[in-house]
Every structure is written in C-alpha cells, then in structure tokens.
Amino acid sequence: MPAAAADSAIFRQLLGDDDCARLLSDASTLRAMLLVEGALARVQGELGVIPAEAAAFIDCASREVQIDPAALATETAKNGVPIPALLAAFRKAAEAPEPMQYLHWGATSQDIMDTAQALLLRRLFDIWEARLATTLTALRHLARTHADLPMAARTYGQIATPTSFGAIAAGWGRPLQDRRAALASLRPQLQRVSLSGAAGTLSAMGDQGPAIRAALAKALGLSDPGHSWHSDRTGIIDLAGWAASLAANLGKMGEDLLLLTQSGLGEVSLGQGGASSTMPQKQNPVAPSAMVALSRHVIGLAAMLQGAGLHRQQRDGAAWFTEWLTLPQLCHSLSRLIQLAADCAEKLTPNPEAMAQQLNTDHGVIHAEALSFALSTRLPRPEAQAVVKELCAEAKAKGLALHNLAQIRFPDLNWQTEVAAAGLGQAPAEARAFADGL
C-alpha cells in the first residue's frame, strides 16, 4: 500500500482528490518553479540587472522546456532541495550557455520553492472556496426547506428537547460560512512572493533587490511582503490552524450523519450507500465515515505542520523537510473532505416519519423542560423540576404519555398553549436566518 492513500490506485477515489493531485503533482510543481525562474529573469532584464536578451531567452524557455521530474531525484536526495538539479536540467535543455548563465541570478532555492508554492496554493484556495460555496448552498436549501420540520435534539447521546432539521443544517453551515470568510483573510499571508537570497539579505542584487522583489510580485500576481520570510512560517502555521478548524467543522457534520443514519433511527437518507462483502442488507454510510477519518487526519497533520514552523537561524532544513512531508497530505485530505461534504449536503434528505417517531420515544418526555417551565408559574422552580422528574419516571415505568400524567396532576394545565407552544423555540428562526445569509 502506498504511503499516502491519495497516491494509491485502490484508495485514491475514496480518500484522495483528483483536482488536488493534478495541482500538486511533480509536473505542476516543476512548472510553477520554472514560471518563477522565468518571471525573475524577465523583471531583472527590465531593471537592467541582467542583459535584456538573456532575460527574454530565459523567460521564453521557462514556458517551453520539458523536464522529467524523475531525473531530479538523485541530485535532490544529495542536495536536500530540487532546485540545483532543476537549474542544471534547464540549462542543459536550453542549449544556450551564454544567456543561461544569468538564470536564477541572486536567488536561492527557497525563494523559488516558496514562491512556486504560493502560486499553487492560490489555485488550491480557489478550489476550496468553490466547494465550500457549493456545500453552503446545499445546506442553506436544507435549512430553508426544513426550518419547521421537528426532530429530537440530543445531548450526551440522549434525547433532550425538540429542534428542527433546518436548525441542524444551519448548525453545520454556520461554521463553514465563517471558515470561508476566514479563507479570504488567510490568502494575503500565503499568496506572497519570496525573494531574499542566500541568507535573507538580497546581497547579490545590491540596491535593486527590493525593486526586483516588488516587480516579481507584480509579475506573478502575488503580494510583496517587503522583507525576507524564509524562517517565518506564520502563514503556513495559520493555514494549518484554519485547516484543523474546518476539518473539525466538517468532521462534526460527518459524525452527526453517521448517527442520524444508524439502524433504528434512519432520520436522514444519504442516497446510495456502500455495500458489505457479506451482509446483503447493508448500505453503509461510506461518505460520512470518510469525512470523519479525513477530519482526524487533517487535524493530526495540522499539529505537525504547526510544529514545523519552529525554524533555527536563517533557514532550517529539518523544519522545511517536515513541511514538505506534511503540507501536501493535509491539502489532499482537506480537498477530499470538502468535496465529500458538498456531495452529502446535496444528496441529503430527511425522513419526517422517523423524526416524528423519535419525538414520541419514551412517551413524550422530550417535553419535560417545557413542562417544568410551565409549572414554574404554579410552583417554585425547584419544586416544579422535581415534580416533572417524578412524572417522567412514572411515564417510563407505566408506559403512559407524559402529557396525560401532567393533565391528571394539574387539571388546569393547557398542554397545547403552555407546553407544546414552546415547541421548537428559536430553531426555525435560526434556520431561516442562516438560509438568508444572516
């Protein structure tokens, strides 16, 4: 089995993501690095740092050259970074020693790799944002359509008070709405150019270093941080925190779906389920199960990625390697997790009959809280709670409905107006507010 499920021909469609795989492939990564090298040469030519003819040649060649990623493996293992091997392969393929001597002028490996990573993350963020938008659209539809559909709320796995399915959908959606908004503020921290030179001083470019960095940022559509950030991994750390938070939100949705679809409840349907190898009757909730597993994976990887933010001195190979090991897997798993959430949200349908059955479980004791508050107008609050607790125990022991026992004990009690009216509380209003984007 491959080290990463996303790389497995068997497990790729379950736990991997094709869009992310294409974007973060070796070929795409090399293409992004070459794009940075070409843009660097172009702006250096425009500013007179290197000959204009050489700059034009490097820029053009960077878009046309074809380099086999596997050809860089041996030298990358020796050097710890792929850039020396990439530059050698680029120069060899270009077959023009004179202009190619100005390739990578004054830059260092991390400049090229971090800037290329910024380009790739920008496209990946676009994918994530679109998928989150799809998920939110589906959840808003569920919230609006089922704002008044009653169902049992549960705390500690036990039936608590009534809520609505629309409110449940809104509860899944609101954190995603916040995470989507947070992604917009996260972008500037990661979509920035890196150009600092060997030790972060840009010494090889002299006084023109800052101007070159600004021009490179503009050429690539990135921001100019105005300083070196080789050892400052704040953006990556913040990305890890954002990813862990989003994974927890989506994993919660997955956990809820596992419970709502379990045998004996069946309060929602996910459409077609997964088959068992031996039990013909089974339709397993595969998508929610994968959501929960991927959520746990992302949260674990996020902790490791945040730990990789601890860098020694001006550059730290061990910390940087840890980032390489962790960030791509986090991106793959999070991409798949968001897609699964979108798929589930679009296919999800409630089962009103099953929900009604659960509301009547244990002879209507789900209305115990509302009854206790209704009785608080007749009795001191602690006494009202104690009475309701007794009535609930009697209802379960004798198999009688709570409202009938309450009516016998308190003949003047109007169950419909004093108890049932409490019903769903603010659940419908909260569902509609989310559906309206409020």
Side-chain angles (χ1 to χ4, degrees), residues 25-50:
S25 67
D26 286 338
S28 292
T29 301
L30 287 185
R31 183 54 54 196
M33 292 178 186
L34 288 168
L35 178 64
V36 176
E37 292 284 6
L40 175 62
R42 183 169 70 254
V43 300
Q44 287 178 326
E46 292 170 352
L47 293 171
V49 176
I50 65 174

Side-chain angles (χ1 to χ4, degrees), residues 136 140 143-144 174 177-178 429-438:
L136 284 166
R140 287 193 177 104
R144 180 179 292 106
R174 282 201 179 277
Q177 187 172 272
D178 293 340
E430 290 194 7
R432 291 190 177 92
F434 166 72
D436 292 337
L438 303 177

Side-chain angles (χ1 to χ4, degrees), residues 18-90:
D18 288 343
D19 290 337
C20 185
R22 283 190 292 270
L23 181 58
L24 301 185
S25 67
D26 286 338
S28 292
T29 301
L30 287 185
R31 183 54 54 196
M33 292 178 186
L34 288 168
L35 178 64
V36 176
E37 292 284 6
L40 175 62
R42 183 169 70 254
V43 300
Q44 287 178 326
E46 292 170 352
L47 293 171
V49 176
I50 65 174
E53 297 80 4
F57 180 87
I58 294 169
D59 184 26
C60 181
S62 71
R63 293 190 290 271
E64 297 177 352
V65 70
Q66 299 295 321
I67 296 175
D68 179 10
L72 310 184
T74 300
E75 288 301 307
T76 298
K78 182 189 301 183
N79 299 320
V81 288
I83 299 301
L86 175 63
L87 296 175
F90 189 6

Side-chain angles (χ1 to χ4, degrees), residues 373-397:
F373 278 103
L375 294 181
S376 293
T377 63
R378 297 166 174 80
L379 305 169
R381 173 73 175 147
E383 187 176 340
Q385 287 181 300
V387 169
V388 173
K389 191 171 184 178
E390 292 175 9
L391 290 174
C392 288
E394 185 178 355
K396 292 180 180 180

Side-chain angles (χ1 to χ4, degrees), residues 133-158:
T134 299
T135 308
L136 284 166
T137 297
L139 290 176
R140 287 193 177 104
H141 174 73
L142 290 171
R144 180 179 292 106
T145 305
H146 305 291
D148 297 299
L149 176 59
M151 66 177 293
R154 295 175 174 87
T155 60
Y156 285 81
Q158 307 297 307

Side-chain angles (χ1 to χ4, degrees), residues 322-341:
T322 305
E323 190 176 296
W324 299 352
L325 286 167
T326 313
L327 181 59
Q329 285 199 45
L330 181 144
C331 291
H332 275 277
S333 293
L334 188 61
S335 295
R336 180 57 175 159
L337 176 55
I338 302 172
Q339 185 61 62
L340 284 169

